[in-house]
C-alpha cells in the first residue's frame, strides 16, 4: 500500500474525513458502553457488606463464613439456631426424641412444608442431602461434621459403597431416624449447620453441577435467590412458602462481596450499605474511633488466632523451646497495639463463653521463666539458636495487613526477650495452606473459628490423626482424653476431661500458641435495623432481622 | 494480504500463550483446594484431584485443558474428554465463560471510557503545549502531564473516592449501578494515560512542525494554528496512534487497582484473585482473553498507522 | 507494566559520524546541550542532594527504622519530624531507608532490563533473517501477556528455591535477600521488551551504514562490530531509556507492594510505604502524614528523574527541538 503525496487541498479533505471518522467511532463506542452495561434494578430493603465473594452456594461444599451467611438464608435443616442464644431450636423438624443412651435420634419433619417452588420437603430429601454431603464424589470439605453418624466416615472414605448402610434413614415421609457412633452432646447444633441442610434433589438431578444456576432455584430457607452476579452482589427475596414466612419482615436483601475495609466503610458512610457484619471489614487502625460510635457493636466470638510450630523440625521438636517461646509473648501488648478491636488476649485455646465449658488457664507472660527454659534446652541467651521463618499470608489489595503487623511484633518480642532471630515470610494464602498441610514450614500463623458451640470443635483438631492438626504433633495421651470426653453423657465429666486435655496441650506440650480471641464486630444503626444480636457464633438469621422503613435513607 | 497473514499467525501464537500461561500458573506450590481447614480425609483429597485431574503430569493436563484428549472408559470405548478450560476451580458452580460474560463488559466499558477521557484531555493539552512552545502555557501543561504520570493509581483512587464521594457527596464511592458510578474509576484510571498522551502529542506536533511541506504551507501564508490543525495533525497524531494499542491493553489489564478500590465487577480483580487462588483455568482463560484483545487491537492500530502514514509500507 | 518510553525509537535517530569525528565527540556535544537545559540540571542536583541526604541522615538519627515504640500514629512533631507509623517507627528514617531500597531496585531493575534488552535487540537486529524473526516473535508473545502474572508467579514459585540456594551460600539473611534479588530480576525482566524493540530498530538502521560495511570489509567479526560500532551508537537511546524507566519501575514496585508481593517488612521501600499510606485513606480519620510524605517525596523524585530523562533525550536528539 503506498500513497502518492497529494496536493494540500486533497489532504485536508482526507484529514477532515479521518477526523470525522475517528470522532464518530469514539462517540459510538461511548454510547454503546454507557447503555449496555448497567443493571437498573429496584433498591433493596437491606444491603449488607458481607465479606469475600462466595465460592459457591452449595451447602455441602461451602467452607467460609461469608458463604454460610447467604446459604443459611436459602437452605435450612432440621434445626436452626436461636438468634440471641444460638441454642438449637426446631426448624424443618418440629420435634424429636433422643434415646437415653444418646445414640438414636428420631426427628419428626413438619407436615406440609414445601420448597419455594412448591414441591413437598420430606425425610427422604434429608437422607438424600446428607448422603450427598458424605459422598466422596461431592468432595465436601465439611463432611467430617457428619462422621458422628454410624458408617458415615467409612462411606466417605469409600470403604462402604452402599448408602443404605449409613445411619440415617427415612422411616416414612415425615420421620427421620439417625444412629450415632457415640453420644454427641452437640448433635442438635450440628443439625443447624450448613452441611446438614436439605438441598433440592429435583434441581441437582436435573442440572448436575450447575444446579445453582437454575432459576427459580428451589429453596428451603427464609429467602430465595433472585440473582448472583460474581463480584457484584447476591440478591435474595423473601420466600413466601417458608414455614415461618409470617415472621420474615425484610423483602429484598443484597449481599455485597466487599474486599477491603475502606471500601466497606465508604459504602456504609454514604448509605449505600446498611450493615457491615464481617470482622475482617474493620480497619483496625481506626477502631478506637469507631468503637465510640453508637452504631458499632462488638462481642466475644468463637474464634482464636494462634500459631503453629512444626514439631518435626529442630529446634521445635523440644517442648522446652516451644514453651519458652510461648512464655516470651506479651499478648496484652499485641491486642493493645496491633489488633485494637477489643480482642481478648488468649492464653488458652477455647474461647470463654463456649457452651458448657470453662477453659483452664494456660501459660502466661513470663520472660524470666522463658529464658530459663531456653537455656535448659541448650540455647542460653539465644546463642546457637537457628534463624527461623514465621510464615503468614501476605495481604493483597486493600486487605488488612494484620498478619504482617503481628509478625513484626512477635519478631521484636522474641528478639528482646530471648535473643532469637526470626525472618518474616509472607506468602500467598494458598501457598500457606499447602505448606501447612505438608508440614513445610517452621512456625506459621493460623486461626480457627468454631463450627458449633462446643469445646470439641477446638480441641478435637489436635488429635494425632486429625487432618486439621498440621503440626506433626502426635500424642496418644491427648487422643485418649478427647476420646473419653466425647463418650460422656454427663456434662460435668465431659468438661473435666476437656479441661485436662487443654491444659496438657497448652502448658506441657505447646505445639500451638494461642494469641488472642477474635472479637465479633457489626456496624449498623440500631434505629434503622434490629434483630441482629451479638452472639458467640456471629450467626444472624435474616428471618429475625427487622428494618425500620420510616428511618430508611434513600 | 499482510493482515491476513497476521490473523493466521495469531492462532499458533495464542496456543503458545496458553501453554506458557498454563505452565506458569501451575508452578507455585499451593493448589486451588488448599484451605485453612484440612479436608476430612485423604480420600476426599484424592477424589478432588481425580475429578479435576490435578494429579496428572502437566502435559496431559494441558491437552485435557484445550480439549485435545481422548481416553478409554471402562467399556474400552474411546471418547472425548470434555475440555477443561471452562471449569473454574474456585467458583465451582460458575464457568469461566460466565465470569467473562459478566466481567468483560465492565472492564471494556471502563477501559474505553478511560481511553476517551485520556484522549479528550491529553490531545488538546499536547496540541496547545506544542503550539505555544517555550511559553508558560507549555511549561505548565508539561508539568501537569508529568505530574499525572508520577502519582500512582493506588493513591489517586482512594483520594478521589474520599474527596468526591465522602466529603463532597457528589459521586458514588463504589459499586456499579449507574453511569454515575463510572465517573470516578474512569478518571482515576485515565489521569495517568492522559499525561502520556499529552506528552506524546506534543512531541509529535513538534516533530511535524519542522516538516517540509509544512514550511511550504507556511510560506503560503496560513496562520500557525490553522496550519498545525489542518496539515500537521495527521502526522503528529501518529505516535499517539501507535501508543493507543498498548495503552488500551494496559487500560484493560491494569484496571485491577481501580476495580478493587471501587469494588467494580471487572476482570482485573478476577485475574489477580485467580492467581491467589491457584484457579488455573480462570487465569489461563483470562490471559487468553487479554491476548486476543491485545492482538486484535494491535492489528487495528497497525492498520490505522499504515493508513495515516504514507511512509509506511507493509508487504 | 506501562511502557514508559513509547516513542523513543522514532525520536532519536543516530546520525552518521562526520569525517574525523568520533563517538566521544558526539557524546561531548550531547553533554554540552544537556548542560544548557536548566530544568534538567536543577532536577539532577535535586537527585544528588536527595541521595546524599538519605544516605547520611540515618547515620545521625536517634531512631532505627525497625525500632518499635509505643508512640503509634503520632503526627509530625519535634521528636519525630515526619511522624510515626502503625508500629511507632519514625517515618523520616524509614523514608530514608525506603529511598535507598527504591533507588536500588529502580537502578538495578532498569539495568537488568537494559542488559537483557540490548543484548536481545542487538543480536536480533544484527543477525536479521530467521533469527531476527523468531526473536521478535518471542517478544511479541511476551508483550501480549499481562506482566502481573509473571510478577506473581516469579515471586511465589522462585522465592523458596532461591532462599534455600542463598542459604547454602551462607548468606546471613537469605529471606530478605531472596525477595530483594527477585524484585531486581523480576522488575527488570518484565520491562526489557521495549528496549529490545528499540535497540533492534536502531541496529537495523545502523547495519547498513557505511562504517559498518567498511569494518566488515576489513574482516572484523560480528561481535567486534557490535561491540565497537553499534552499541556505542545505541548508547544514547539507552541512557535516555534508563532515566525514563527507573520511575516506571519504582511505580510498578509500589503496585506490587499493594499486592503484598513487594518488599517484605520490616524493610521498607517507597512503594510499600505508599501502599501502607494508601490504606489509611478512609472516611473516619486520616493519618495524613503517612501518605503525604512518602507520596510527595516519590512524586518529586519521579518528576526529577523525568526531567533529567527529558533533558538527556533532548540533548541526544539530533533532529533538534
Amino acid at each position: 500500500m503506498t500513497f502518492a503525496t497529494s496536493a494540500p487541498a486533497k489532504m485536508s479533505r482526507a484529514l477532515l474525513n479521518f477526523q470525522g471518522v475517528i470522532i464518530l467511532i469514539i462517540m459510538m463506542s461511548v454510547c454503546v458502553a454507557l447503555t449496555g452495561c448497567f443493571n437498573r434494578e429496584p433498591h433493596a430493603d437491606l444491603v449488607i457488606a458481607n465479606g469475600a465473594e462466595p465460592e459457591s452456594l452449595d451447602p455441602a461444599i461451602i467452607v467460609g463464613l461469608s458463604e454460610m451467611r447467604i446459604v443459611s438464608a436459602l437452605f435450612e435443616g432440621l434445626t436452626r439456631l436461636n438468634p440471641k442464644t444460638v441454642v438449637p431450636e426446631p426448624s424443618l423438624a418440629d420435634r424429636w426424641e433422643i434415646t437415653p443412651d444418646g445414640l438414636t435420634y428420631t426427628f419428626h419433619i413438619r407436615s406440609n412444608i414445601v420448597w419455594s417452588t412448591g414441591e413437598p420437603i420430606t425425610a427422604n430429601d434429608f437422607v438424600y442431602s446428607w448422603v450427598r454431603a458424605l459422598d466422596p464424589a461431592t468432595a465436601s470439605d465439611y463432611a467430617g461434621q457428619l462422621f458422628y453418624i454410624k458408617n458415615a466416615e467409612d462411606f466417605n472414605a469409600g470403604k462402604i459403597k452402599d448408602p443404605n448402610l449409613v445411619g440415617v434413614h427415612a422411616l416414612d415421609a415425615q420421620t427421620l431416624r439417625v444412629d450415632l457412633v457415640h453420644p454427641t452432646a452437640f448433635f442438635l447444633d450440628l443439625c443447624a449447620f450448613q452441611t446438614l441442610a436439605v438441598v433440592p434433589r429435583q434441581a441437582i438431578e436435573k442440572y448436575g453441577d450447575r444446579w445453582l444456576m437454575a432459576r427459580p432455584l428451589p429453596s428451603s430457607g427464609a429467602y430465595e435467590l433472585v440473582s448472583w452476579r460474581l463480584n457484584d452482589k447476591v440478591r435474595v427475596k423473601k420466600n413466601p412458602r417458608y414455614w415461618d414466612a409470617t415472621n420474615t419482615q425484610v423483602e429484598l436483601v443484597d449481599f455485597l462481596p466487599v474486599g477491603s475495609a475502606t471500601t466497606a466503610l465508604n459504602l456504609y458512610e454514604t448509605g449505600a450499605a446498611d450493615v457491615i457484619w464481617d470482622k475482617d471489614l474493620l480497619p483496625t487502625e481506626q477502631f478506637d474511633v469507631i468503637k465510640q460510635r453508637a452504631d458499632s457493636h462488638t462481642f466475644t466470638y468463637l474464634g482464636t488466632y494462634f500459631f503453629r510450630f512444626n514439631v518435626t523440625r529442630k529446634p521445635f521438636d523440644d517442648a522446652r523451646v516451644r514453651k519458652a517461646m510461648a512464655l516470651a509473648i506479651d499478648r496484652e501488648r499485641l491486642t493493645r497495639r496491633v489488633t485494637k478491636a477489643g480482642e481478648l488476649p488468649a492464653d488458652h485455646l477455647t474461647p470463654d463463653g463456649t457452651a458448657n465449658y470453662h477453659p483452664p488457664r494456660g501459660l502466661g507472660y513470663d520472660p524470666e521463666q522463658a529464658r530459663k527454659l531456653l537455656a535448659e534446652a541448650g540455647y542460653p541467651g539465644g546463642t546457637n539458636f537457628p534463624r527461623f521463618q514465621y510464615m503468614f499470608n501476605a495481604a493483597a489489595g486493600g486487605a488488612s495487613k494484620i498478619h504482617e503487623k503481628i509478625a513484626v511484633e512477635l519478631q521484636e518480642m522474641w528478639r528482646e526477650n530471648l535473643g532469637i532471630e526470626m525472618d518474616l515470610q509472607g506468602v500467598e494464602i494458598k501457598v500457606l495452606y499447602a505448606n501447612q498441610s505438608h508440614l513445610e514450614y517452621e512456625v506459621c500463623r493460623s486461626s480457627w473459628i468454631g463450627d458449633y458451640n462446643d469445646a470439641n470443635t477446638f480441641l478435637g483438631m489436635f488429635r494425632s490423626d486429625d487432618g486439621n492438626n498440621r503440626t506433626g504433633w502426635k500424642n496418644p495421651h491427648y487422643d485418649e482424653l478427647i476420646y473419653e470426653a466425647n463418650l460422656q453423657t454427663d456434662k460435668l465429666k465431659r468438661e473435666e476431661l476437656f479441661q485436662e486435655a487443654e491444659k496438657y496441650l497448652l502448658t506441657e506440650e505447646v505445639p500451638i500458641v494461642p494469641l488472642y480471641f477474635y472479637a465479633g464486630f457489626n456496624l449498623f444503626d440500631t434505629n434503622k435495623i434490629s434483630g441482629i444480636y451479638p452472639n458467640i457464633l456471629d450467626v444472624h438469621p435474616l428471618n429475625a432481622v427487622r428494618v425500620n422503613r420510616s428511618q430508611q435513607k434513600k | 494480504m499482510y493482515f491476513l497473514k497476521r490473523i493466521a499467525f495469531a492462532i499458533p501464537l495464542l496456543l503458545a500463550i496458553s501453554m506458557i500461561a498454563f505452565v506458569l500458573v501451575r508452578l507455585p506450590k499451593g493448589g486451588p483446594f488448599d484451605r485453612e481447614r484440612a479436608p476430612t480425609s485423604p480420600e476426599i483429597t484424592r477424589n478432588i484431584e481425580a475429578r479435576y485431574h490435578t494429579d496428572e503430569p502437566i502435559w496431559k493436563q494441558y491437552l485435557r485443558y484445550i480439549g485435545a484428549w481422548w481416553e478409554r472408559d471402562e467399556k474400552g470405548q474411546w471418547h472425548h474428554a470434555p475440555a477443561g478450560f471452562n471449569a473454574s476451580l474456585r467458583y465451582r458452580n460458575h464457568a469461566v465463560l460466565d465470569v467473562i460474560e459478566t466481567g468483560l463488559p465492565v472492564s471494556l466499558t471502563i477501559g474505553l471510557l478511560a481511553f476517551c477521557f485520556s484522549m479528550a484531555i491529553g490531545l488538546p493539552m499536547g496540541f496547545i503545549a506544542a503550539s505555544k512552545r517555550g511559553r508558560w502555557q507549555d511549561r505548565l501543561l508539561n508539568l501537569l502531564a508529568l505530574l499525572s504520570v508520577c502519582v500512582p493509581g493506588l493513591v489517586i483512587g482512594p483520594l478521589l473516592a474520599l474527596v468526591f464521594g465522602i466529603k463532597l457527596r457528589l459521586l458514588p464511592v463504589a459499586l456499579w449501578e449507574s453511569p454515575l458510578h463510572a465517573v470516578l474509576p474512569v478518571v482515576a484510571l485515565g489521569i495517568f494515560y492522559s499525561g502520556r498522551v499529552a506528552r506524546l502529542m506534543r512531541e509529535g506536533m513538534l516533530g511535524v512542525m519542522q516538516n517540509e511541506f509544512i514550511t511550504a504551507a507556511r510560506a503560503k501564508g496560513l496562520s500557525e494554528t490553522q496550519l498545525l490543525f489542518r496539515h500537521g495533525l495527521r502526522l503528529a497524531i501518529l505516535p499517539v496512534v501507535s501508543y493507543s494499542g498498548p495503552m488500551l491493553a494496559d487500560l484493560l489489564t491494569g484496571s485491577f487497582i481501580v476495580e478493587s478500590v471501587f469494588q467494580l465487577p471487572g476482570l482485573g480483580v478476577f485475574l489477580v484473585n485467580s492467581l491467589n487462588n491457584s484457579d488455573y483455568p480462570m487465569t489461563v482463560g483470562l490471559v487468553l482473553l487479554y491476548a486476543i484483545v491485545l492482538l486484535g487491537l494491535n492489528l487495528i492500530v497497525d492498520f490505522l498507522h499504515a493508513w495515516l502514514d504514507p511512509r509506511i509500507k507493509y508487504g | 507494566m506501562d511502557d514508559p518510553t513509547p516513542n523513543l525509537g522514532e525520536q532519536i535517530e543516530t546520525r552518521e559520524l562526520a569525517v574525523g569525528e568520533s563517538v566521544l565527540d558526539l557524546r561531548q556535544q550531547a553533554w554540552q546541550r544537556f548542560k544548557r537545559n536548566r530544568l534538567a540540571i536543577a532536577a539532577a542536583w535535586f537527585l544528588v542532594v536527595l541521595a546524599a541526604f538519605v544516605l547520611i541522615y540515618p547515620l545521625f538519627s536517634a531512631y532505627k527504622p525497625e525500632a518499635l515504640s509505643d508512640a503509634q500514629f503520632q503526627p509530625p512533631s519535634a521528636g519525630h519530624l515526619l511522624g510515626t507509623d502503625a508500629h511507632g517507627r519514625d517515618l523520616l528514617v524509614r523514608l530514608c531507608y525506603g529511598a535507598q531500597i527504591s533507588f536500588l531496585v529502580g537502578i538495578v531493575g532498569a539495568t537488568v532490563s537494559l542488559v537483557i534488552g540490548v543484548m536481545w535487540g542487538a543480536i536480533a537486529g544484527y543477525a536479521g533473517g530467521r533469527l531476527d524473526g523468531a526473536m521478535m516473535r518471542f517478544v511479541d508473545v511476551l508483550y501480549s501477556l499481562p506482566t502481573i502474572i509473571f510478577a506473581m508467579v516469579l515471586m511465589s514459585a522462585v522465592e523458596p528455591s532461591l532462599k534455600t540456594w542463598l542459604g547454602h551460600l551462607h548468606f546471613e539473611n537469605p529471606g530478605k535477600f531472596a525477595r530483594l534479588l527477585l524484585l531486581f530480576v523480576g522488575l527488570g525482566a518484565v520491562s526489557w521488551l521495549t528496549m529490545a524493540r528499540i535497540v533492534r530498530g536502531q541496529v537495523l538502521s545502523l547495519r547498513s551504514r557505511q562504517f559498518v560495511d567498511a569494518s566488515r570489509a576489513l574482516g572484523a567479526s560480528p561481535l567486534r562490530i557490535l561491540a565497537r560500532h553499534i552499541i556505542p551508537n545505541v548508547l544514547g537511546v539507552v541512557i535516555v531509556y534508563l532515566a525514563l524507566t527507573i520511575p516506571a519501575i519504582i511505580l510498578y514496585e509500589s503496585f506490587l507492594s499493594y499486592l503484598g508481593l513487594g518488599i517484605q517488612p520490616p524493610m521498607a521501600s517507597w512503594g510499600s510505604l505508599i501502599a501502607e499510606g494508601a490504606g489509611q485513606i478512609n472516611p473516619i480519620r486520616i493519618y495524613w502524614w503517612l501518605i503525604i510524605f512518602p507520596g510527595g517525596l516519590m512524586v518529586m523524585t519521579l518528576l526529577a528523574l523525568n526531567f533529567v530523562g527529558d533533558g538527556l533525550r533532548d540533548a541526544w536528539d539530533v533532529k533538534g527541538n
Side-chain angles (χ1 to χ4, degrees), chain B residues 163-277:
Chain B
V163 170
F164 291 98
I166 308 274
K167 298 289 181 200
L168 297 178
R169 297 285 165 116
L170 280 178
L171 292 164
V173 282
L175 305 179
W176 187 251
E177 277 160 15
S178 73
L180 269 183
H181 283 83
V183 175
L184 285 180
V186 164
V187 171
L189 194 56
I191 280 190
F192 182 86
Y193 296 98
S194 63
R196 281 239 187 279
V197 166
R199 277 160 60 80
L200 281 175
M201 183 66 182
R202 177 177 173 276
E203 277 144 22
M205 294 289 306
L206 290 176
V208 143
M209 295 200 304
Q210 320 287 340
N211 202 303
E212 290 163 344
F213 71 85
I214 295 288
T215 19
R218 205 178 273 141
K220 272 173 59 178
L222 291 173
S223 84
E224 193 77 6
T225 341
Q226 225 180 8
L227 191 69
L228 286 174
F229 205 77
R230 277 159 138 230
H231 301 282
L233 198 63
R234 182 180 181 135
L235 286 179
I237 212 170
L238 283 178
V240 177
V241 169
S242 18
Y243 184 57
S244 348
M247 178 168 117
L248 206 42
D250 265 340
L251 281 171
L252 292 176
T253 67
S255 53
F256 169 71
I257 291 187
V258 160
E259 284 175 20
S260 63
V261 168
F262 293 99
Q263 199 64 39
L264 305 170
L267 291 179
V269 181
F270 275 111
L271 182 61
V272 177
N273 284 342
S274 70
L275 280 167
N276 276 326
N277 295 326

Side-chain angles (χ1 to χ4, degrees), chain C:
Chain C
M1 178 171 119
D2 167 67
D3 179 353
T5 54
N7 209 21
L8 200 53
E10 286 99 65
Q11 289 167 339
I12 300 191
E13 271 184 16
T14 50
R15 65 177 172 82
E16 293 254 13
L17 295 170
V19 175
E21 211 182 18
S22 75
V23 177
L24 242 71
D25 290 329
L26 257 183
R27 281 193 220 152
Q28 274 177 344
Q29 287 171 21
W31 178 238
Q32 291 300 325
R33 271 199 293 271
F34 182 76
K35 281 210 284 203
R36 270 182 267 136
N37 183 340
R38 289 203 301 209
L39 195 55
I41 292 289
W45 274 114
F46 169 77
L47 289 172
V48 169
V49 168
L50 182 68
F53 182 77
V54 301
L55 284 173
I56 299 181
Y57 179 79
L59 300 172
F60 292 101
S61 162
Y63 302 107
K64 296 242 135 291
E66 304 177 8
L68 307 178
S69 76
D70 269 335
Q72 296 168 285
F73 292 123
Q74 298 294 319
S77 63
H80 291 276
L81 285 174
L82 294 184
T84 64
D85 71 354
H87 292 278
R89 298 179 286 206
D90 179 52
L91 192 60
L92 181 53
V93 172
R94 274 178 78 74
L95 265 182
C96 290
Y97 276 100
Q100 293 174 13
I101 303 267
S102 283
F103 273 132
L104 201 60
V105 169
I107 294 177
V108 176
T111 313
V112 168
S113 89
L114 186 139
V115 166
I116 304 179
V118 165
M119 285 201 313
W120 194 276
I123 296 176
Y126 195 73
R130 282 253 177 94
L131 187 59
D132 176 25
M135 288 176 90
M136 294 326 277
R137 279 290 149 259
F138 186 68
V139 169
D140 284 340
V141 170
L142 288 186
Y143 224 77
S144 349
L145 289 174
T147 48
I148 183 70
I149 295 192
F150 286 113
M152 291 182 81
V153 168
L154 207 63
M155 295 303 171
S156 11
V158 177
E159 197 173 357
S161 353
L162 189 61
K163 249 186 280 219
T164 25
W165 185 65
L166 282 178
H168 287 315
L169 292 180
H170 301 293
F171 262 79
E172 193 203 281
N173 197 348
K176 207 156 117 174
F177 280 111
R179 177 56 65 99
L180 210 52
L181 210 60
L182 268 182
L183 274 179
F184 291 159
V185 173
L187 290 174
V190 299
S191 35
W192 62 270
L193 300 171
T194 331
M195 183 84 266
R197 280 194 179 164
I198 294 175
V199 169
R200 173 186 173 265
Q202 296 285 348
V203 168
L204 273 181
S205 69
L206 279 173
R207 202 164 59 134
S208 46
R209 297 276 181 87
Q210 286 180 337
F211 62 89
V212 173
D213 279 340
S215 257
R216 219 179 291 146
L218 285 173
S221 75
L223 212 59
R224 188 182 168 80
I225 296 184
L226 266 176
R228 291 201 99 214
H229 295 287
I230 302 208
I231 292 193
N233 271 309
V234 168
L235 217 53
V237 184
V238 158
I239 291 184
V240 176
Y241 173 82
L242 210 58
L244 292 176
T245 305
I246 294 179
I249 291 192
I250 296 184
L251 268 180
Y252 197 65
E253 196 271 317
S254 76
F255 175 55
L256 285 182
S257 292
Y258 181 71
L259 291 178
L261 292 174
I263 294 287
Q264 285 289 66
M267 282 205 292
S269 74
W270 276 338
S272 69
L273 288 173
I274 288 184
E276 270 176 44
Q280 298 299 331
I281 303 179
N282 60 70
I284 305 272
R285 172 177 61 193
I286 309 182
Y287 297 118
W288 55 270
W289 57 95
L290 286 179
I291 179 107
I292 297 278
F293 292 126
L297 192 58
M298 186 170 103
V299 168
M300 287 201 300
T301 310
L302 295 189
L303 268 182
L305 280 169
N306 272 308
F307 282 135
V308 169
D310 274 354
L312 282 174
R313 182 177 48 202
D314 291 343
W316 276 93
D317 185 359
V318 280
K319 287 202 289 194
N321 201 359

Side-chain angles (χ1 to χ4, degrees), chain B residues 66-137:
Chain B
I66 57 176
W69 187 254
W70 284 262
E71 54 190 6
R72 279 212 174 143
D73 61 13
E74 299 92 57
K75 295 181 233 136
Q77 297 215 330
W78 287 102
H79 68 96
H80 183 235
F85 66 83
N86 208 15
S88 164
L89 294 182
R90 175 158 174 97
Y91 304 105
R92 290 205 247 166
N93 305 105
H94 285 271
V96 175
L97 287 176
D98 288 335
V99 169
I100 293 184
E101 197 185 354
T102 47
L104 190 60
V106 178
S107 287
L108 268 183
T109 309
I110 300 196
L112 281 174
L113 286 177
F115 182 80
C116 297
F117 175 82
S118 327
M119 290 294 175
I121 305 257
L123 290 177
M125 252 174 91
F127 186 82
I128 297 177
S131 61
K132 301 251 187 280
R133 75 183 174 106
R135 304 220 280 263
W136 67 270
Q137 291 99 325

Side-chain angles (χ1 to χ4, degrees), chain A residues 15 56 142 257 451 468 470, chain B residues 29 36-38 93 230 263:
Chain A
L15 185 62
S56 168
Y142 257 124
D451 302 319
N468 285 306
R470 291 173 164 175
Chain B
K29 261 198 294 198
E36 178 87 60
R37 188 164 243 117
N93 305 105
R230 277 159 138 230
Q263 199 64 39

Side-chain angles (χ1 to χ4, degrees), chain A residues 74 223-226 234-237 251-253 255 542:
Chain A
L74 298 176
Y223 285 82
E224 49 176 330
L225 189 63
V226 172
V234 178
R235 173 166 280 210
V236 300
K237 72 172 197 268
E251 274 292 335
L252 210 53
V253 181
F255 292 90
L542 280 185

